[in-house]
Amino acid sequence: MAKRLIPTLNRVLVEKIVPPTKTPAGILLPEKSTKLNSGKVVAVGPGSYDKAGNVIPVGVKEGDNVLLPEYGGTQVFLGDKEYHLFRDEDILGTLHD
Amino acid sequence: MAKRLIPTLNRVLVEKIVPPTKTPAGILLPEKSTKLNSGKVVAVGPGSYDKAGNVIPVGVKEGDNVLLPEYGGTQVFLGDKEYHLFRDEDILGTLHD
Amino acid sequence: MAKRLIPTLNRVLVEKIVPPTKTPAGILLPEKSTKLNSGKVVAVGPGSYDKAGNVIPVGVKEGDNVLLPEYGGTQVFLGDKEYHLFRDEDILGTLHD
Amino acid sequence: MAKRLIPTLNRVLVEKIVPPTKTPAGILLPEKSTKLNSGKVVAVGPGSYDKAGNVIPVGVKEGDNVLLPEYGGTQVFLGDKEYHLFRDEDILGTLHD
Amino acid sequence: MAKRLIPTLNRVLVEKIVPPTKTPAGILLPEKSTKLNSGKVVAVGPGSYDKAGNVIPVGVKEGDNVLLPEYGGTQVFLGDKEYHLFRDEDILGTLHD
Amino acid sequence: MAKRLIPTLNRVLVEKIVPPTKTPAGILLPEKSTKLNSGKVVAVGPGSYDKAGNVIPVGVKEGDNVLLPEYGGTQVFLGDKEYHLFRDEDILGTLHD
Amino acid sequence: MAKRLIPTLNRVLVEKIVPPTKTPAGILLPEKSTKLNSGKVVAVGPGSYDKAGNVIPVGVKEGDNVLLPEYGGTQVFLGDKEYHLFRDEDILGTLHD
């Protein structure tokens, strides 16, 4: 019953990462370490149009780990899994190890 | 008495899909599985104009299954059937099996 | 005393169609069947200017049956007949049998 | 002491026409027949600039009978005669017999 | 101590004309004759930029008698004389005998 | 400890001139003579971008005496000296003797 | 566990500098000397798009000392270190000794 979503324009489908609130050893992490609001890009749209009618490609790609704004995004359920849709320009950055 | 509507500009005429709240066996589905707000595209406009005066074609086509925003859209009755009109850019994505 | 109005820019002069609330046999129609807010185009302006200074022609033409938004439009009396002026982009679509 | 005004940009100087509320025979006219808010164009500006720096000429000309919006316009007294200044794009249309 | 001001962009420095409230013979003028809000252009800026980066020259020139909006403009004192700065596009028109 | 600031885009760093409220002989000046809100330009940014991607240079230069708006500007301390940052387009004009 | 962030578009990652409130000798500094709201640029995005679809590079670079607005910016934690994200155009200027 799970459907696949191809976003329109510069929309980006993201699966949020729930940050751990404890270390593997069970020690509670301080709140600020757990506040990182990040997610994994699951699908991206074809891009939006600039004023001259050309397509501006989306700045992130499938598989990217992204930093998300604290508010915003549209909650979407596909099957029974929760995702969020963001506009390309609202994604704050990409995260790398 | 049912009339056919050809939308203007980048408007898209959508017939909403009422999600099942029970399985075929009669088991109630959890609320989040039923929240998918989707519809089928019935008709699309010719597209809107960019700032250079060129037409930007509509990004979805007749027959597409689309994911709709929770709010917005204009309720329209043709004959006694209910439809909704959305602007092309307000449609969140297309759904595929 | 009835004057003829030539709209400016992308304005469209529309005579609204009052939908019947009964069938010819006198049976009251359910409210939703009577909610279709449509009209007939009586006159259209020459079009508006895009940012490059070119004229964008109006998307509907005299005689078209149009679907109108529930709100908006400017009430105009010519002689003692009531009309409404709409901006081209506010007309939702054209209706066809 | 009456001065002549040359409007700037796309401004249009209009002398409003007070509609008769009685017929020549003295019969009171119904209110809706008297609501036509029209005027005569007395002077027009040279036009406004589009984004490419070109002048867009004003869409009405001296002597035109114009349909005016119910609200808006700037009241101006030249000598002791009352006029109104409208932006070109706020004039609803031209009236013809 | 009086300094000279060269306005920036499309700003216009205006000395307002206080309209007489009596005739030379001492007869009080009706209020509407005295409401003409006009001034004399003292200095103009070099013009503002359009979207293509070109300068749009100011539409009025030093010495012009101009019709001013009832509200707006920035009060400026040079020496002990009062002036007002207006944006070019807020000046309603030029006055001629 | 005093640092030098190079403003970004079309920002202008201004040191405000506190107008004298007395003449050199100690006579109090009337309030309107003291209201001139002026300053000296200390540093200017490289300019902002127009819609075509070209730089629009800042309209004032280091050393200019400028007329400032009554409100606005960002208070900045460099060392223990107070300055204000204004956007180029908010500066009302340049003052000359 | 500390991740590296590459900002999107014209975003700039800044580590704020906490100004000293005492001199090295322990003397309390006056409040205005301590109000300088500055930071060090840690990472910059690739730039934003102008209306013609070209990239406008970010005006500051890694390592720059920047003057920040009193409000605004998005708080971000990477590992347990606090950073702020600013849009390029909100950074007031660069600071130099």
Side-chain angles (χ1 to χ4, degrees), chain C residues 39-72:
Chain C
K40 196 174 173 170
V41 174
V42 175
V44 300
S48 55
Y49 291 89
D50 67 19
K51 306 270 164 171
N54 302 312
V55 171
I56 303 176
V58 172
V60 295
K61 62 180 191 303
E62 214 185 299
D64 276 357
N65 282 307
V66 288
L67 184 66
L68 301 169
E70 208 173 337
Y71 302 106

Side-chain angles (χ1 to χ4, degrees), chain A residues 29-30 32-33 35-36 50-52 54 56-57 59-60 65 67 69-70 88-97, chain G residues 1-9 11 13 49-54 74-82 85 87:
Chain A
L29 286 165
K32 68 180 179 179
S33 303
K35 272 182 69 176
L36 184 59
D50 68 18
K51 307 269 165 170
N54 302 312
I56 302 176
V60 295
N65 282 306
L67 183 67
E70 206 173 338
D88 171 37
E89 71 258 18
D90 294 334
I91 289 175
L92 299 174
T94 52
L95 289 158
H96 307 263
D97 290 316
Chain G
M1 195 188 290
K3 286 173 178 283
R4 195 164 61 87
L5 177 76
I6 301 178
T8 47
L9 297 168
R11 290 186 173 91
L13 188 69
Y49 290 88
D50 68 19
K51 307 270 165 171
N54 302 312
T74 303
Q75 197 190 39
V76 170
F77 285 94
L78 298 173
D80 54 357
K81 232 174 145 176
E82 179 188 350
L85 274 170
R87 291 291 193 138

Side-chain angles (χ1 to χ4, degrees), chain A residues 59-81:
Chain A
V60 295
K61 60 180 192 302
E62 215 186 300
D64 276 358
N65 282 306
V66 288
L67 183 67
L68 301 169
E70 206 173 338
Y71 302 105
T74 303
Q75 199 190 37
V76 171
F77 285 94
L78 298 173
D80 54 357
K81 234 175 144 176

Side-chain angles (χ1 to χ4, degrees), chain F residues 18-69:
Chain F
V18 182
T21 55
K22 289 181 184 175
T23 65
I27 296 160
L28 282 171
L29 285 165
E31 196 186 339
K32 69 179 177 180
S33 305
T34 66
K35 274 182 66 176
L36 184 58
N37 203 6
S38 66
K40 196 173 173 170
V41 174
V42 175
V44 300
S48 54
Y49 291 88
D50 68 19
K51 306 270 164 171
N54 301 312
V55 172
I56 303 176
V58 172
V60 295
K61 61 179 191 302
E62 213 185 300
D64 276 358
N65 282 307
V66 288
L67 184 65
L68 301 169

Side-chain angles (χ1 to χ4, degrees), chain F:
Chain F
M1 194 187 292
K3 286 172 178 284
R4 195 164 61 87
L5 177 76
I6 301 178
T8 47
L9 296 168
N10 64 340
R11 290 185 173 90
V12 177
L13 188 69
V14 173
E15 189 182 342
K16 282 200 181 175
I17 294 164
V18 182
T21 55
K22 289 181 184 175
T23 65
I27 296 160
L28 282 171
L29 285 165
E31 196 186 339
K32 69 179 177 180
S33 305
T34 66
K35 274 182 66 176
L36 184 58
N37 203 6
S38 66
K40 196 173 173 170
V41 174
V42 175
V44 300
S48 54
Y49 291 88
D50 68 19
K51 306 270 164 171
N54 301 312
V55 172
I56 303 176
V58 172
V60 295
K61 61 179 191 302
E62 213 185 300
D64 276 358
N65 282 307
V66 288
L67 184 65
L68 301 169
E70 207 172 339
Y71 302 105
T74 303
Q75 198 190 38
V76 171
F77 286 94
L78 298 173
D80 55 358
K81 233 174 144 177
E82 179 188 351
Y83 298 90
H84 285 78
L85 274 170
F86 287 89
R87 291 292 194 139
D88 171 37
E89 71 257 19
D90 294 333
I91 288 175
L92 300 174
T94 52
L95 290 159
H96 307 263
D97 291 316

